[in-house]
Amino acid sequence: MLRFLLVLSILMSNLYFSQSRLNLIPYPQKVNFSQGEFQIPGTLVLSGNLPKEETEYFKGRLKSLEFQYEKKGKRPHLIRSMLKSPDGGQNKEAYAIEVFPGYIEIRTNTNQGYFLALQTLIQLFEEHGKDRKIPCLVIEDYPEFSWRGMHLDVCRHFFTVDEVKQYIDYLAMYKLNTFHWHLTDDQGWRIEIKKYPKLTQIGSKRKESMIGAYVDNTFDGKPYGPYFYTQEQIRDVVSYAQVRHITIVPEIEMPGHALAALSAYPELACTKGPFEPAAQWGVFDDVFCPKEETFTFLENVLDEVIQLFPSQYIHIGGDECLKTRWKECPHCQELIRKNNLKDEHGLQSYFIHKIEKYVNSKGRKIIGWDEILEGGLAPNAAVMSWTGINGGIEAAKAKHFAVMTPGSYCYFDHYQGDPQTEPNAFGGYTPLDKVYSYNPVPAELSRDEAKYILGVQANLWTEYIPDFKQVQYMIFPRIFALSEVAWGTSDPKKYKEFENRVINQFKILDDLHINYAKSIYNISGKVVAQNNGVAYELSTSQHPDGIRYTTDGTDPTVNSETYRNPVQVSESMTIKSAYFEDGKLKSAISSQQITVSKTTGKNISLEQQPSENYSFGGAFTLVDGIIGNQKQLGKTWLGFQGKDVVATIDFGQKTAFSEVYFNTLENKGSWIHLAKSAQVFVSENNKDFKIIGEIGKDEILNAKGKIRLNVGKQNSRYIRIKIENAGIIPAGNPGADSKAWLFVDEIGAL
């Protein structure tokens, strides 16, 4: 048993700190305040038996303070009993901190618990450093989840060893304990493998990179790379993380996302190539061919990876493996017949099973994205559930471990504020409050099944993140919400209190010169149904009296109104808003155009619900008066994969109209296809519908997805729009044989 004590020279005080909350993130499980305070002295005297590496880290974080170790026999050791977890067992990450008027004591039974206690203590010193007084209190703390992770993609854009170390430091500061390092992909191979030098000689560079929004299809024309980590650098980073009690889980993608590897060793593909690392983002047809030489190659790669990383799990990807080449490959088809596999999905399962057996033989386990469930899950595999929560549910019910990382809550490459005021991002809309609202344990699981949920992780894919300053911007402050969700102390009902703690943490980020998003200060706008129409509701994390706005599209810094109540919207208008303090602009200027039609604000229902990742606002998004921007899929579009959109709108009374409009998107690189067809119906009773207009594929294509249908003079209460999904993506397209995405925005009637 390890026992730790910080003995600190002090001045006594009888003051009682009446505060009810500390500005700590993540917030501890239990905090009890007591009478008195500890006054921070000029020199902190540390007990001589403290673990050296962790204590040196502590001293390095608090560089403004002086430290010395106590001399033997000079000060008493006041030791408390070992802390136990609530279930009576010993939790290796549990700790307690007790602040007395005369000293501070840390109680734990592991170095890991001691390190986590130090993170709490550092925040206490940072918060109270100015007045140099910490309230007397007792903290008893432990995490709810054992996997508290952050991911970093270094393939689309590369980050130096020093930057990766900074990233690891951010995880440590907020008690995350797993770093998922995404090291290989179509756009670059980033890890030295000595047996296969061409992986980095050829696979670590590309001729150019995609820039701007995906739909622009533009490139910078600049060679990128060669960029990779040597094995010596990998060992250095692993050692650095170990001091911070962070496990690094490496990811070597297979069988898909393999273009960089195939560029170096084309004989591992189903076709002869030639191949080159992808300059474009997206998913590609060419994947590893499941032949013996491929498995030999991957086993040799994994041998070197396992030697570098001591983690229990090795991430083998498994996602977005297109089956186009396998369907055309005689070897693959023979393998399916020989092994009595059902289809190419069964072949993917065969591939994953074979790799898992090898990894298990080395004393390790595999984890993969939820597509590894295809065709049957390998016996000991864990699942990382990203397409939603269903993969995690399926795994847990089958008694397999799962890490929850659904895109709708945990993808930090999504927008976190108004896309109009944010840097270009991948898409989606995942603001701070949405991350904070996430519960990693699905309600569908029983108590016994829930034990298979290891924890939660956020992912940072870097297609649109060219440098480390942008990495910082995308993870801060959302990492604060993730840390509290992962620790198990988040409470969405107390979001405003959490938001105040976030703002307090900004002072620390400023001191550390971390570039963070200030979206929390910006005005949030939301269309709400009101009086059979709509109103525009404005809010801010600050005092609402600071909101000023205009309704004619003019600059709110020149002539504007103070916001009191939701802005009534009876006609089309452009609302601009901003937050002011003492007459000075403190936020970005937000702008929202609202286009009013006869459907705006009316009741709407959908037969099938949109994907979790693209469901912001639900069905009401289709009648809120906001026309979607095709470059920004986050807030204003609903996305449906493999599903038709059938929307029924209730005007409330018989209403005359003669035109119906809606928009769909085309972005084939992201598997988004225009609608196949659309039909419009009317009804008086919401039961008996008759068709009044339709449009086919060619007309939709000619209109580029911006549909305007003349339906003649109509007068009815209900209108139904059926928009047909393109279905299965045809061969020759990215994502061939997968379900197409259908994106739809405003449905209007004139």
Side-chain angles (χ1 to χ4, degrees):
M1 179 181 75
L2 297 172
R3 301 177 296 177
F4 309 121
L5 174 68
L6 295 180
V7 182
L8 306 150
S9 55
I10 53 88
L11 293 174
M12 299 298 290
S13 170
N14 290 321
L15 293 177
Y16 178 76
F17 281 74
S18 60
Q19 65 194 95
S20 59
R21 297 287 278 185
L22 298 164
N23 286 311
L24 298 175
I25 294 177
Y27 206 77
Q29 299 287 351
K30 296 179 182 179
V31 179
N32 290 307
F33 292 93
S34 56
Q35 193 170 8
E37 63 185 19
F38 164 79
Q39 184 162 336
I40 303 172
T43 299
L44 297 176
V45 182
L46 306 177
S47 176
N49 69 337
L50 298 172
K52 185 174 182 356
E53 286 185 330
E54 290 83 359
T55 304
E56 288 303 310
Y57 169 92
F58 174 70
K59 290 164 63 178
R61 283 285 306 278
L62 295 174
K63 293 178 181 177
S64 61
L65 298 175
E66 294 291 330
F67 295 87
Q68 71 179 49
Y69 288 98
E70 68 165 339
K71 295 179 182 178
K72 189 173 181 180
K74 292 292 184 181
R75 300 182 190 275
H77 284 245
L78 302 177
I79 305 297
R80 297 293 183 266
S81 60
M82 179 179 65
L83 182 70
K84 294 185 177 181
S85 60
D87 63 0
Q90 297 178 13
N91 186 326
K92 66 180 181 178
E93 295 187 293
Y95 70 90
I97 294 175
E98 192 155 4
V99 178
F100 297 94
Y103 58 91
I104 297 175
E105 181 178 281
I106 295 174
R107 301 194 303 273
T108 182
N109 59 322
T110 65
N111 285 49
Q112 191 171 1
Y114 174 61
F115 184 78
L116 293 170
L118 291 180
Q119 300 304 327
T120 300
L121 200 58
I122 288 166
Q123 288 192 36
L124 286 172
F125 275 93
E126 287 171 334
E127 179 182 355
H128 298 283
K130 192 171 183 180
D131 59 19
R132 305 190 72 82
K133 296 174 182 177
I134 297 176
C136 289
L137 51 78
V138 179
I139 293 173
E140 296 181 11
D141 205 12
Y142 53 87
E144 183 173 338
F145 296 104
S146 62
W147 188 300
R148 306 184 301 280
M150 276 291 297
H151 153 289
L152 180 64
D153 164 21
V154 295
C155 302
R156 278 54 178 246
H157 285 99
F158 181 80
F159 304 99
T160 67
V161 167
D162 285 343
E163 289 168 339
V164 171
K165 286 180 176 179
Q166 287 181 61
Y167 196 83
I168 289 169
D169 278 333
Y170 303 152
L171 273 60
M173 287 166 61
Y174 297 100
K175 298 189 177 73
L176 301 176
N177 66 354
T178 305
F179 172 44
H180 175 174
W181 204 354
H182 184 80
L183 291 164
T184 72
D185 215 300
D186 294 301
Q187 293 79 15
W189 184 283
R190 305 297 181 210
I191 177 173
E192 178 190 24
I193 301 297
K194 294 187 182 295
K195 193 174 183 66
Y196 300 106
K198 288 193 289 185
L199 286 171
T200 46
Q201 291 169 359
I202 296 172
S204 71
K205 55 189 177 182
R206 57 180 182 259
K207 67 180 181 181
E208 60 183 348
S209 301
M210 189 174 232
I211 55 174
Y214 195 102
V215 292
D216 293 335
N217 199 34
T218 56
F219 298 84
D220 61 9
K222 300 175 183 178
Y224 192 85
Y227 296 127
F228 64 94
Y229 306 101
T230 66
Q231 293 199 0
E232 184 179 356
Q233 289 174 321
I234 294 278
R235 290 189 186 94
D236 178 41
V237 173
V238 169
S239 177
Y240 188 87
Q242 285 174 326
V243 172
R244 288 148 183 79
H245 294 275
I246 288 174
T247 299
I248 300 182
V249 175
E251 181 178 359
I252 307 298
E253 273 274 14
M254 62 184 83
H257 287 288
L259 266 181
L262 297 180
S263 301
Y265 298 97
E267 64 272 19
L268 305 178
C270 291
T271 63
K272 293 181 180 180
F275 309 106
E276 61 181 4
Q280 191 175 31
W281 318 137
V283 184
F284 303 92
D285 286 335
D286 290 295
V287 301
F288 284 121
C289 185
K291 48 193 175 184
E292 285 309 310
E293 60 193 290
T294 300
F295 290 116
T296 299
F297 165 83
L298 290 172
E299 287 169 2
N300 290 334
V301 167
L302 289 168
D303 282 346
E304 295 192 33
V305 170
I306 287 169
Q307 287 298 313
L308 292 169
F309 295 94
S311 56
Q312 179 186 15
Y313 285 103
I314 303 296
H315 203 299
I316 51 83
D319 64 311
E320 298 177 324
C321 178
L322 304 185
K323 309 302 189 292
T324 308
R325 296 290 183 255
W326 288 1
K327 284 190 174 184
E328 301 166 349
C329 172
H331 169 78
C332 293
Q333 293 304 308
E334 175 60 25
L335 205 57
I336 290 172
R337 287 191 292 271
K338 182 180 176 181
N339 290 278
N340 295 315
L341 304 176
K342 184 178 180 181
D343 53 18
E344 289 74 23
H345 297 289
L347 186 56
Q348 165 134 336
S349 180
Y350 169 87
F351 193 113
I352 300 300
H353 275 69
K354 197 169 178 69
I355 292 296
E356 186 197 43
K357 186 176 180 180
Y358 186 78
V359 172
N360 289 168
S361 76
K362 300 295 180 178
R364 306 296 182 87
K365 299 177 181 179
I366 67 165
I367 186 169
W369 304 109
D370 49 36
E371 287 96 328
I372 69 170
L373 289 160
E374 289 180 15
L377 189 58
N380 304 303
V383 170
M384 194 165 273
S385 188
W386 76 277
T387 58
I389 65 172
N390 289 336
I393 293 170
E394 184 178 341
K397 285 183 176 295
K399 297 185 178 181
H400 283 259
F401 288 109
V403 176
M404 304 304 290
T405 179
S408 52
Y409 292 93
C410 298
Y411 268 44
F412 287 4
D413 55 333
H414 292 178
Y415 288 101
Q416 56 191 310
D418 184 347
Q420 297 179 74
T421 62
E422 291 284 311
N424 192 36
F426 185 83
Y429 181 60
T430 311
L432 183 69
D433 60 338
K434 188 171 185 182
V435 179
Y436 194 70
S437 72
Y438 183 54
N439 181 356
V441 180
E444 293 87 342
L445 298 181
S446 69
R447 181 176 295 182
D448 286 340
E449 291 166 342
K451 294 175 183 176
Y452 289 95
I453 302 299
L454 291 174
V456 62
Q457 176 178 293
N459 299 326
L460 192 67
W461 303 100
T462 59
E463 289 93 336
Y464 298 95
I465 303 177
D467 56 49
F468 196 67
K469 282 291 182 185
Q470 187 65 10
V471 167
Q472 294 173 331
Y473 185 91
M474 298 304 281
I475 68 171
F476 286 102
R478 289 185 285 194
I479 193 173
F480 298 152
L482 174 73
S483 76
E484 200 148 301
V485 167
W487 199 255
T489 54
S490 59
D491 183 351
K493 297 190 292 296
K494 296 179 180 178
Y495 172 74
K496 278 297 179 184
E497 184 273 330
F498 166 74
E499 195 174 65
N500 290 335
R501 286 186 280 127
V502 167
I503 292 170
N504 186 271
Q505 288 287 319
F506 287 168
K507 302 169 191 173
I508 297 168
L509 301 186
D510 289 334
D511 289 342
L512 295 173
H513 306 292
I514 292 173
N515 180 39
Y516 58 92
K518 300 178 178 64
S519 316
I520 197 170
Y521 291 115
N522 292 346
I523 305 300
S524 294
K526 179 182 178 182
V527 177
V528 295
Q530 193 173 85
N531 301 327
N532 205 33
V534 295
Y536 196 56
E537 189 175 80
L538 300 173
S539 63
T540 174
S541 62
Q542 307 304 295
H543 198 285
D545 287 350
I547 301 175
R548 297 190 65 82
Y549 72 97
T550 63
T551 58
D552 58 2
T554 56
D555 188 338
T557 64
V558 178
N559 185 22
S560 56
E561 297 181 51
T562 299
Y563 179 77
R564 302 295 183 196
N565 297 297
V567 182
Q568 299 299 309
V569 181
S570 57
E571 60 183 4
S572 298
M573 61 176 62
T574 298
I575 299 172
K576 290 192 173 182
S577 58
Y579 176 73
F580 295 79
E581 276 184 9
D582 300 323
K584 295 181 180 179
L585 180 67
K586 297 289 287 185
S587 73
I589 296 174
S590 297
S591 178
Q592 183 60 65
Q593 182 177 345
I594 301 176
T595 302
V596 174
S597 81
K598 293 182 179 182
T599 62
T600 306
K602 301 302 188 290
N603 289 328
I604 180 171
S605 61
L606 292 172
E607 285 191 5
Q608 298 191 83
Q609 298 309 305
S611 162
E612 262 191 295
N613 289 1
Y614 300 101
S615 61
F616 185 81
F620 187 72
T621 297
L622 300 180
V623 291
D624 64 1
I626 297 176
I627 305 297
N629 181 334
Q630 67 168 337
K631 295 182 180 181
Q632 299 168 340
L633 305 182
K635 293 178 65 175
T636 57
W637 296 82
L638 296 186
F640 302 78
Q641 187 173 24
K643 299 178 183 177
D644 298 337
V645 174
V646 182
T648 303
I649 300 167
D650 179 2
F651 288 118
Q653 60 185 12
K654 292 185 72 168
T655 299
F657 63 95
S658 58
E659 182 181 316
V660 175
Y661 64 83
F662 65 90
N663 292 341
T664 76
L665 279 182
E666 182 174 62
N667 185 344
K668 291 183 178 178
S670 294
W671 307 6
I672 302 171
H673 288 248
L674 292 173
K676 191 173 182 180
S677 68
Q679 299 172 311
V680 182
F681 307 81
V682 292
S683 172
E684 296 303 322
N685 57 11
N686 201 23
K687 294 179 181 178
D688 304 309
F689 284 87
K690 69 174 183 178
I691 190 168
I692 58 170
E694 58 186 322
I695 185 170
K697 183 177 180 180
D698 291 341
E699 293 171 285
I700 292 173
L701 183 63
N702 291 335
K704 297 181 179 179
K706 297 180 179 180
I707 310 305
R708 297 291 184 274
L709 263 177
N710 189 321
V711 294
K713 292 183 178 180
Q714 302 294 329
N715 189 23
S716 63
R717 175 169 175 174
Y718 297 94
I719 181 173
R720 175 173 290 171
I721 297 89
K722 180 179 180 180
I723 307 169
E724 187 181 5
N725 188 292
I728 300 299
I729 299 172
N733 290 278
D737 296 323
S738 299
K739 295 176 181 178
W741 281 90
L742 171 63
F743 275 81
V744 177
D745 77 338
E746 193 72 7
I747 298 173
L750 300 172

